[in-house]
Amino acid sequence: MRYLACILIILHSFHKITGQELMNGFNILVFQDSTELLKATDVADMLNKNEVILSLPDKIPEKLSSKINYWLILKPQLVDTSQDYLFTINDRLSRVEAYNYPYTELSAIAGISVPGSEKDLFGDKLILKHSSHPQLVKIENKLQSLVYFKTLKVVPYSNYLSGRAKKIFFYGIIQGFFILILIYNILLFIVAKQRIYLYFVIYILLNALLLTSYHEFSEKFLFPNTPYLNQMLLSLQIIGVFFYLLFLRNSMLNHCSDYTKQKDKYILLPMAYTALVLNLLISSTLFFRLDLFSILSRLSNLIVSVICIVLFSVFYKKSDKFLRIVMHGSLLLILMGYINIVLTLFKYQTEMFYVSGLLIELILFTYALNDHYFKEIFIAKYRNHVLENELEIKNRELLNQALQLTSRETVLSSVKNKLKAFNTEKNKHQIYSELEMTDRIDKVMWSDFNKHFNSIHPEFYRNIVSNYPLLSQNEIRLCAFLKLNLNTKEIAAITQKSIHSIETMRSRIRHKLNLQRDNSLSNFLLQQ
C-alpha cells in the first residue's frame, strides 16, 4: 500500500522527478517536493518504483525554486566509494540534509539557517559519508528566489581539505592584519581624540566582523548557536559605507581647499545619511530574500562608487597629500569591487578580490592618518615650544620690571622716613613734592606693568574681574604674581610684605574663588 500511495502521488504531480544527469562521477536525480512532506524513506521507495514507471528527462533543472523543496539522489558511478565527498551549491541554502543507506537517520546537516554548533562545515557544505549505496540529499531554499544548479559541486573531501587549509590560512592572515590595523587606529584615536579617527575605527571594525562571515570564523566562534546573527554580519559592509562617507567628508573638509561647508550641505552630508537609511532598509531583506539583498546591496555600492569617482575627479587637483592617498585607496577598492561583481555575474563565487582591495585601502588610510597625525604633533610641539619660550622671556621681563618698581618703592619709603627727622619745613615741602612726583611716575610704571602683563595674558584680568568681582586691587596683583609662577617668598620680597601677610592674602583669595582645600591656587590661576 505504501508503494502504491507513492506511485499515485507521482502520477498526480505532487512530487515529480524533474531530471537526471551524470555530474562529478555521480548520477544525480532530482525530485520536486511541493508538499514538503516527504521523508528520506519515502524518497527511497519512490526511487525504486520510478525507475520502472517513469522515464526521466536528460538534464536536471537549471534553477531551484524557493517555493518547493528538492530531493537529490546521488548514485555513485565513476567515483571511489571508499572515501567521503563534499556536497555544496552556493553557501546560501537555508537547510541541507544528507541521509545514508538505509535512510532512516540524518547523517549530516548544513545550511545558513542551521546553527554552527550542529554542523561540521561552513554554509551549506556537508560531508557525504563513503558508501556504495545512493546518497539522499534534501534541499530547502527559503531565502533565495532562484539557485543555479551549475554551482553544485560534489568533490572528494580530501581535495576540499587541502583547498580549505589554504583558504583558512589566507583569511586568517587577512583577519590578523585587520585586527592589527584596528588596534593601531584605536590607539591613534585615544591619543588624537578626533572624529575622523573614530569613523575610521568603526569602519574597520564593521569590515573585520564582515570578514568572519566569509569563512567558518563567525559560525564556529562568534555566534555558533544563533544563525540569524551570522546572517546579519552580511549587512555590515553596506552599513560601514555610512562611516566611510563620514570619514571621507571629514577628510574633504579639512584637506581640500575647494570643498567648503556650503558645498558639503549638498554633497557628502546628505549622501551619507541617505545611504544609511537606504542601506538599513536593504539590510532588512536579509531575513526573507537573501538574493534580493545581494542585488540591492551591490546596486547601492555601485551608486556610491560612481558618485565617489565623480567627486574625486572634480576635487582631486585641490586636494593635499592626505586626501589623495584616501582617494587612491578608495579607487582601488572600487576597482576590486567591480571585478568581484563581474565574477559573480559569471556565477564565480569569490570574495578574494574585494577582501584584498579592502585590506590595501585600510593600509593606505592608516598610513595617511598616521603621517598626518605625527606631522600635526611635530608642528604642534614645535609651536608650543616656541610659545613657551616667548612666554618665559616675557614673564622674566615682567618680573624684572616688578623688582625694579619694588626697589624704587623701598628707596622712597626709606627717604620718607628720614625726612621726618628734618626740621626745615621748606626743604621738607620741596622734597615731599619731588617724592610725590616720583610716586606718580611709579604708578605710571605699575600701569605699564599691568598693560605689559595684559598683552601677554590678555584674558587673565578680564576673567578674574568678571568672574570674581569681590577681589581687591592688591589681591588681583597677587593673582598676577601667582600667574607668573612666583612662590610666596618671592612675592613677599617684591611687595615688601611679610610671608605671613602673603599667606593670609592667599587664604582670602582662595575663599573668594570658592576653591576646595585639595585645589591648588597657583595651578588654578595658571590655567586662567
Side-chain angles (χ1 to χ4, degrees):
M1 292 297 293
R2 185 177 182 180
Y3 294 151
L4 180 60
C6 291
I7 294 172
L8 290 174
I9 290 174
I10 295 170
L11 293 176
H12 285 84
S13 300
F14 288 107
H15 313 290
K16 62 180 180 179
I17 302 174
T18 58
Q20 65 176 346
E21 186 172 345
L22 185 65
M23 183 180 294
N24 302 112
F26 285 86
N27 185 25
I28 300 177
L29 289 78
V30 181
F31 281 83
Q32 291 183 3
D33 179 13
S34 57
T35 64
E36 303 182 5
L37 297 176
L38 282 180
K39 297 180 181 180
T41 52
D42 297 329
V43 175
D45 292 340
M46 291 169 60
L47 176 63
N48 294 330
K49 295 297 181 180
N50 286 333
E51 289 181 338
V52 179
I53 296 173
L54 297 177
S55 61
L56 302 175
D58 294 333
K59 296 289 184 179
I60 61 175
E62 292 185 358
K63 302 172 183 178
L64 295 178
S65 172
S66 62
K67 297 180 180 180
I68 55 179
N69 293 341
Y70 291 85
W71 283 89
L72 275 62
I73 297 93
L74 289 81
K75 292 183 177 182
Q77 297 288 329
L78 305 175
V79 296
D80 182 4
T81 57
S82 64
Q83 65 174 327
D84 298 338
Y85 284 81
L86 174 81
F87 175 94
T88 183
I89 292 188
N90 70 350
D91 282 338
R92 293 291 178 259
L93 293 177
S94 303
R95 186 180 180 91
V96 184
E97 299 175 355
Y99 295 87
N100 278 348
Y101 182 83
Y103 317 119
T104 55
E105 294 184 358
L106 190 67
S107 60
I109 188 171
I112 61 173
S113 298
V114 179
S117 57
E118 297 180 11
K119 53 189 182 181
D120 299 320
L121 300 175
F122 163 75
D124 70 357
K125 298 181 180 70
L126 54 74
I127 303 172
L128 300 177
K129 300 297 182 181
H130 60 275
S131 175
S132 59
H133 295 280
Q135 304 268 4
L136 299 185
V137 177
K138 180 183 179 182
I139 296 176
E140 293 183 9
N141 173 37
K142 303 298 184 184
L143 298 177
Q144 303 172 94
S145 59
L146 291 174
V147 175
Y148 290 90
F149 245 119
K150 65 173 62 178
T151 60
L152 187 150
K153 294 179 182 178
V154 184
V155 297
Y157 186 58
S158 57
N159 294 354
Y160 166 73
L161 284 178
S162 60
R164 176 174 177 257
K166 294 177 182 178
K167 194 172 182 180
I168 289 178
F169 178 77
F170 171 77
Y171 279 113
I173 294 294
I174 296 294
Q175 192 73 52
F177 274 112
F178 271 59
I179 293 173
L180 289 176
I181 293 172
L182 177 63
I183 293 173
Y184 182 77
N185 282 279
I186 287 175
L187 295 176
L188 275 181
F189 167 66
I190 292 173
V191 176
K193 295 182 176 63
Q194 296 181 15
R195 285 187 179 182
I196 188 171
Y197 294 90
L198 176 62
Y199 298 147
F200 187 47
V201 164
I202 297 175
Y203 178 63
I204 299 171
L205 177 61
L206 293 177
N207 282 284
L209 289 173
L210 171 69
L211 184 61
T212 64
S213 70
Y214 285 162
H215 206 57
E216 303 176 13
F217 304 123
S218 64
E219 289 193 331
K220 293 295 182 183
F221 303 111
L222 290 183
F223 311 113
N225 298 311
T226 49
Y228 290 112
L229 289 179
N230 287 308
Q231 287 179 239
M232 287 180 63
L233 292 178
L234 299 175
S235 68
L236 296 184
Q237 187 274 325
I238 56 174
I239 294 175
V241 169
F242 170 69
F243 294 97
Y244 165 78
L245 291 174
L246 292 181
F247 171 83
L248 181 61
R249 172 178 176 260
N250 194 297
S251 302
M252 295 284 290
L253 286 171
N254 293 295
H255 300 277
C256 180
S257 58
D258 201 32
Y259 189 81
T260 62
K261 289 186 176 180
Q262 188 65 28
K263 292 180 180 179
D264 180 63
K265 291 180 181 180
Y266 302 99
I267 306 177
L268 280 176
L269 182 61
M271 177 180 170
Y273 286 96
T274 302
L276 176 63
V277 173
L278 292 178
N279 287 337
L280 286 174
L281 292 174
I282 293 172
S283 299
S284 65
T285 63
L286 263 174
F287 301 105
F288 59 91
R289 285 290 300 275
L290 194 58
D291 53 345
L292 179 62
F293 165 79
S294 180
I295 294 171
L296 293 177
S297 61
R298 288 192 176 100
L299 181 60
S300 172
N301 287 333
L302 188 63
I303 293 172
V304 171
S305 65
V306 170
I307 295 175
C308 286
I309 291 173
V310 174
L311 195 66
F312 296 161
S313 63
V314 172
F315 294 101
Y316 185 83
K317 292 183 179 180
K318 296 292 184 178
S319 304
D320 63 6
K321 177 185 175 183
F322 173 89
L323 186 54
R324 290 188 177 187
I325 293 175
V326 170
M327 289 180 177
H328 293 157
S330 301
L331 290 173
L332 179 62
L333 178 61
I334 290 171
L335 175 63
M336 292 298 189
Y338 287 169
I339 293 174
N340 201 77
I341 291 175
V342 171
L343 292 175
T344 304
L345 293 176
F346 288 97
K347 309 298 182 295
Y348 184 73
Q349 299 292 330
T350 180
E351 300 87 13
M352 190 175 297
F353 287 98
Y354 173 77
V355 172
S356 301
L358 179 62
L359 178 61
I360 297 173
E361 180 199 57
L362 296 183
I363 292 174
L364 289 175
F365 285 8
T366 301
Y367 168 75
L369 286 171
N370 181 75
D371 182 64
H372 172 67
Y373 169 72
F374 281 106
K375 279 184 178 179
E376 275 195 342
I377 284 185
F378 177 78
I379 294 173
K381 283 188 174 181
Y382 176 76
R383 287 176 178 172
N384 289 337
H385 180 69
V386 171
L387 290 174
E388 286 175 0
N389 287 340
E390 291 179 354
L391 185 62
E392 186 178 352
I393 292 171
K394 291 180 179 179
N395 283 342
R396 198 177 294 121
E397 291 175 356
L398 281 173
L399 181 59
N400 291 333
Q401 188 177 357
L403 289 171
Q404 292 174 8
L405 288 171
T406 303
S407 298
R408 289 170 59 87
E409 287 182 343
T410 304
V411 172
L412 289 174
S413 178
S414 175
V415 171
K416 287 180 179 179
N417 290 331
K418 291 179 180 179
L419 282 175
K420 294 178 180 178
F422 287 179
N423 294 323
T424 308
E425 291 295 332
K426 182 178 179 181
N427 292 337
K428 192 182 291 187
H429 178 73
Q430 183 179 357
I431 294 174
Y432 269 122
S433 298
E434 292 177 359
L435 289 174
E436 287 176 359
M437 175 94 45
T438 306
D439 280 341
R440 286 194 292 272
I441 294 173
D442 287 343
K443 289 179 181 179
V444 171
M445 293 182 68
W446 273 112
S447 178
D448 291 341
F449 169 83
N450 289 333
K451 289 179 180 179
H452 192 187
F453 180 90
N454 201 38
S455 66
I456 300 173
H457 308 286
E459 302 296 327
F460 181 77
Y461 279 138
R462 186 184 306 168
N463 291 339
I464 287 293
V465 172
S466 61
N467 294 331
Y468 309 102
L470 298 179
L471 291 174
S472 64
Q473 288 299 320
N474 288 334
E475 289 169 343
I476 293 174
R477 182 177 294 181
L478 176 58
C479 290
F481 288 138
L482 292 173
K483 179 69 174 178
L484 294 176
N485 206 19
L486 300 178
N487 56 39
T488 301
K489 188 175 181 180
E490 291 170 334
I491 296 172
I494 291 174
T495 58
Q496 293 297 308
K497 294 181 179 179
S498 66
I499 293 177
H500 177 72
S501 299
I502 299 300
E503 289 178 345
T504 302
M505 191 181 298
R506 289 184 64 150
S507 297
R508 288 200 304 269
I509 293 173
R510 289 178 61 87
H511 177 72
K512 292 180 180 180
L513 298 182
N514 296 320
L515 292 180
Q516 302 297 325
R517 289 188 177 182
D518 55 346
N519 293 332
S520 170
L521 175 61
S522 298
N523 290 339
F524 175 81
L525 293 172
L526 286 172
Q527 295 173 2
Q528 298 299 310

